[in-house]
Amino acid sequence: MNELPLAVLLASVLATATPLIIATLGETITEKAGVINLSLDGSLLLSAMVGFVVGYETGSFLLAFMAAAATGASVALLVGIYGIYLGQLQVAVGFALTLMCKDLAYFLGNPYSRLQGPQMISWKIPGLSEIPFFGPVLFQQPLTVYAGLLLIPAIWWYFYRTARGLELRAVGENPQACYTRGIDPRRKQILYILIGGALVGLAGAAFSLGIKPGWGRPQGIEGIGWIALAIVIFGGWHPVRVALGAFLFALLQVGGISLQNIWTAIPAQVFQVAPFPLMILALVLVNMLEHKSIQRWLEHRPGLAQLLDKLKGDPPRALGKTFHPD
Amino acid sequence: MSRINRYLADTLLILVIVVVFTSLLLLLVGASPHEAFGHLISGSFGSWSKFSRVLNVWIPLTLCSIGLLYAFRAGLWNIGVEGQVVLGAIGTVGVLRLGIDSGYPMVTLFLAMLAAAALGGGWALVAGWLKIRGGVHEIFAGLGLNFVAMGIVLWLIFGPWKRPGIASMSGTEVFPRELWFPTLEGWRVSPYAIGIAILLILATSWILNHSRFGLNLKAVGHNPRAVVLFGLSPQRYLLIAIIISGALAGLAGGLQVSGIYHRLIPAISSGYGYLGLLVVMLANFRLLPIPFIALFFAALNVGSIQLPMMMQLDSSLSGVIQGACVLSALLVFGIRHLRSRGPGN
């Protein structure tokens, strides 16, 4: 079994990528409004646990996802309150929450370890799923995959085509100016922290009820939150590019599993961690493009320069800086 | 006097919040808070053997924390400590493997510690270089390097350094006794390791607070643009700070190998790098409280080991308490910050 059929491979990349897409888009919303929620690695795990436990106890996917979203939003709210109203470093609060939520998840989820719980089945879209090749890849997936894919254009539209999206971006770029225009940046930021956190929570449940079903120690999604944070930077805070980054990571993960069978000399464990440094390497390469000598080299290659210009993005200018209305 | 009083009041307030929060959490899962706290205390301070285990956690945790302090002084978030601990451990194992039959165990151990500091510092330098040259935020450079370090350890354990016969997650082959850090009869902890830690705390106190280097470092952290006017190179100070930070973390990793595990295991860092960040935050980025907070955290880590057996609770309770400490400390600092801004301001 060295080669997987391409359709199966792509379907699995898509399925692996969606929870990550939902989480990265959530973080993109939060960061676009100027706040860093560094707690992702912990809050994903905590909401995955809550989602699984609620799903197991009630048997309802709706309740499970709602509970997970509420969990993600609550953790994010803590970052917001500490960072925006109590004047603490957002990074410090986020980091402490990362570790604490992870331990909290294992502590509270302990009685539910290794239980057979509910798991989402794929939902075939009638008609479309019959199309050869594209059918199995695109239209025979769990509901979360469709939701995640629809989220990409939806958020893009909100950011760049609505007045509220403009306000959101303005708050992240220049809260002072917003304040003088009668927008309270802090209330906006709290709102988008909550929305972003809720999406992270949904992503957590999409893991524990979908592609990494169940609960146990280790859960198998540790480290994903950090990658999600890196992907937001890699994608230049642009929803479409961020989603592409998530696909790239999923491709590395799925590709690693197939490569295991080819390079048997390398221990399988190495392939499990390899996508993480590769993603960071990609981030380094994107950043390197800013370097003077490379910029000079690019001056003579306008076509390439234009293409690369599309790849990089600047962080929201007020990212991580707390706004005071005085 | 009022400053000390305020400090004590803050500490007491933080502890009360944490105890209330933890008790509520324990009641939520149907466990007795009284019993759980009892196990945490007796499991860590109950006997000399248990307390020496606490010291075994305290040493590397303190080294990581004081190392982080150098990086923080320069304004850097060296989240890569975790990987630097791992690299230190790899360096130690590498040297010890070479020195098995050398006949000079003490020299070998000394060289192994040097290798630990060098590899830890070198690994940190990579993160610093990526920050300065690549423009990659040190948090992500550090995290990426943590994952790489994890990959290297797994590769070594399952590849070149695998135990004869079976490679497994239990690690490489155990070193012969003469390559263990020397200890006393009935001690689980090496007095030499304790001595190294105390010396390094004292040295750090002098370097950060009384030396010219420490002063310059502080200046770089506060205002990197202004120090250029004084002829200082901020980039050089950033790199030196992160190298010291990494060297201390590497040393912690070296002691993990030579003093405790005597082999390389996948979880050789025990998460002390990340935990060290919490220690430093709780210490409000000051040196003096670090050894005490590290001792408290170490006691929680060791005390929680028996929770699964005695009460069917997950040992991650210690991490929850540690996180709650930091969050309530930030809450107290935050409220003080609000009040200092004054009402209606």
Side-chain angles (χ1 to χ4, degrees):
Chain A
M1 264 294 282
N2 276 357
E3 278 169 273
L4 285 165
L6 191 62
V8 178
L9 190 76
L10 285 179
S12 121
V13 168
L14 198 58
T16 315
T18 18
L20 193 56
I21 288 177
I22 299 173
T24 46
L25 288 179
E27 182 68 14
T28 307
I29 294 176
T30 307
E31 290 195 14
K32 208 73 173 166
V35 184
I36 302 178
N37 178 3
L38 203 70
S39 75
L40 251 56
D41 205 43
S43 49
L44 269 176
L45 209 57
L46 187 62
S47 44
M49 186 278 289
V50 170
F52 177 75
V53 168
V54 172
Y56 179 84
E57 292 287 352
T58 64
S60 153
F61 281 115
L62 184 68
L63 285 177
F65 274 98
M66 277 168 58
T71 309
S74 322
V75 177
L77 183 64
L78 278 179
V79 176
I81 292 173
Y82 272 90
I84 297 171
Y85 290 104
L86 293 175
Q88 298 301 302
L89 281 174
Q90 291 165 12
V91 182
V93 183
F95 186 78
L97 279 169
T98 303
L99 295 191
M100 187 175 162
C101 289
K102 187 192 282 182
D103 284 321
L104 200 57
Y106 285 132
F107 180 72
L108 293 176
N110 191 32
Y112 294 89
S113 282
R114 297 191 194 356
L115 292 177
Q116 186 72 34
Q119 188 189 348
M120 281 181 299
I121 46 159
S122 27
W123 187 59
K124 289 183 189 176
I125 297 179
L128 290 173
S129 60
E130 308 300 323
I131 307 170
F133 190 75
F134 290 104
V137 173
L138 279 175
F139 303 111
Q140 294 183 16
Q141 297 275 12
L143 211 54
T144 43
V145 172
Y146 306 122
L149 291 180
L150 288 177
L151 210 55
I152 307 168
I155 290 176
W156 178 84
W157 179 265
Y158 187 81
F159 275 3
Y160 299 107
R161 291 292 181 273
T162 68
R164 278 171 187 280
L166 182 64
E167 283 175 4
L168 157 66
R169 286 183 291 137
V171 165
E173 291 290 334
N174 194 341
Q176 216 72 43
C178 291
Y179 191 65
T180 51
R181 297 275 302 185
I183 302 166
D184 184 355
R186 303 203 280 188
R187 280 175 67 179
K188 285 272 171 202
Q189 285 181 332
I190 290 285
L191 172 70
Y192 291 116
I193 286 171
L194 284 172
I195 294 175
L199 284 175
V200 171
L202 290 177
F207 277 116
S208 63
L209 297 169
I211 62 163
K212 300 261 184 198
W215 180 253
R217 181 173 200 162
Q219 215 281 334
I221 59 169
E222 280 176 35
I224 293 280
W226 293 115
I227 283 305
L229 284 160
I231 288 173
V232 175
I233 302 178
F234 175 77
W237 292 270
H238 187 286
V240 176
R241 274 179 276 154
V242 164
L244 286 177
F247 278 120
L248 178 65
F249 181 75
L251 189 69
L252 289 172
Q253 273 196 317
V254 175
I257 297 169
S258 345
L259 283 179
Q260 260 173 34
N261 304 323
I262 301 170
W263 285 323
T264 43
I266 301 171
Q269 285 82 0
V270 174
F271 282 107
Q272 281 162 19
V273 288
F276 294 87
L278 282 177
M279 205 62 218
I280 301 285
L281 190 70
L283 186 63
V284 173
L285 289 178
V286 170
N287 270 285
M288 286 289 200
L289 296 176
E290 309 262 332
H291 203 259
K292 271 193 207 107
S293 58
I294 293 176
Q295 286 291 326
R296 219 173 298 134
W297 181 76
L298 281 174
E299 271 170 27
H300 308 289
R301 291 162 185 80
L304 190 61
Q306 247 181 359
L307 183 78
L308 289 176
D309 213 41
K310 285 212 161 70
L311 271 176
K312 71 177 174 63
D314 291 320
R317 228 162 290 155
L319 184 61
K321 293 179 194 127
T322 300
F323 167 77
H324 294 296
D326 43 48
Chain B
M1 204 54 208
S2 75
R3 254 183 76 180
I4 297 172
N5 278 340
R6 203 176 73 182
Y7 193 74
L8 287 176
D10 280 0
T11 310
L12 201 67
L13 188 59
I14 292 165
L15 279 176
V16 169
I17 299 174
V18 170
V19 169
V20 171
F21 171 80
T22 314
S23 305
L24 289 176
L25 200 64
L26 285 162
L27 290 173
L28 181 73
V29 296
S32 145
H34 183 256
E35 198 187 339
F37 286 125
H39 282 303
L40 283 177
I41 295 167
S42 69
S44 47
F45 294 104
S47 69
W48 168 240
S49 144
K50 280 167 182 160
F51 185 66
S52 62
R53 239 182 262 174
V54 173
L55 287 176
N56 266 337
V57 178
W58 177 78
I59 295 165
L61 186 57
T62 305
L63 290 182
C64 289
S65 308
I66 59 174
L68 277 163
L69 211 52
Y70 287 90
F72 274 123
R73 272 294 150 85
L76 283 174
W77 275 78
N78 180 17
I79 221 167
V81 242
E82 192 71 15
Q84 291 145 22
V85 174
V86 170
L87 260 284
I90 291 175
T92 301
V93 173
V95 172
L96 291 184
R97 283 175 69 88
L98 290 174
I100 278 186
D101 299 316
S102 68
Y104 300 102
M106 287 317 279
V107 178
T108 310
L109 271 174
F110 179 73
L111 291 176
M113 287 300 109
L114 282 187
L119 253 70
W123 203 243
L125 178 63
V126 179
W129 185 82
L130 281 174
K131 156 102 178 171
I132 288 171
R133 291 291 142 142
V136 185
H137 195 287
E138 70 270 18
I139 289 187
F140 294 103
L143 278 169
L145 289 167
N146 290 350
F147 285 119
V148 177
M150 201 59 224
I152 297 176
V153 164
L154 290 170
W155 172 68
L156 287 170
I157 289 175
F158 286 88
W161 290 354
K162 71 168 171 246
R163 261 191 309 182
I166 22 125
S168 80
M169 290 301 269
S170 64
T172 57
E173 212 172 355
V174 177
F175 289 114
R177 246 174 201 287
E178 63 266 20
L179 288 181
W180 295 16
F181 232 72
T183 180
L184 300 175
E185 197 61 39
W187 285 44
R188 278 166 180 277
V189 57
S190 165
Y192 293 95
I194 300 176
I196 291 177
I198 292 174
L199 269 179
L200 287 170
I201 293 171
L202 294 175
T204 300
S205 162
W206 184 79
I207 292 172
L208 286 181
N209 300 323
H210 300 285
S211 77
R212 188 168 193 89
F213 171 78
L215 188 71
N216 289 346
L217 196 62
K218 211 175 190 171
V220 168
H222 274 285
N223 195 341
R225 247 167 274 158
V227 292
V228 180
L229 302 176
F230 291 95
L232 299 175
S233 153
Q235 300 198 334
R236 232 183 81 197
Y237 275 89
L238 289 186
L239 287 181
I240 294 174
I242 206 166
I243 289 174
I244 297 177
S245 189
L248 286 166
L251 207 55
L255 290 172
Q256 285 280 92
V257 171
S258 55
I260 299 162
Y261 292 106
H262 314 295
R263 63 182 194 278
L264 194 61
I265 57 169
I268 192 73
S269 75
S270 310
Y272 295 154
Y274 294 134
L275 196 56
L277 278 158
L278 291 193
V279 171
V280 179
M281 278 186 223
L282 191 52
N284 208 4
F285 307 98
R286 277 178 314 196
L287 178 66
L288 185 66
I290 284 180
F292 304 101
I293 293 169
L295 188 69
F296 175 51
F297 275 23
L300 283 172
N301 268 17
V302 174
S304 68
I305 292 172
Q306 48 182 347
L307 287 179
M309 224 166 48
M310 312 295 279
M311 297 180 71
Q312 282 77 50
L313 292 174
D314 197 276
S315 60
S316 52
L317 180 67
S318 58
V320 177
I321 298 178
Q322 288 154 351
C325 285
V326 174
L327 285 180
S328 43
L330 293 178
L331 184 70
V332 171
F333 301 154
I335 288 168
R336 207 171 276 295
H337 167 88
L338 272 190
R339 286 177 59 185
S340 72
R341 289 169 64 84
N345 196 345

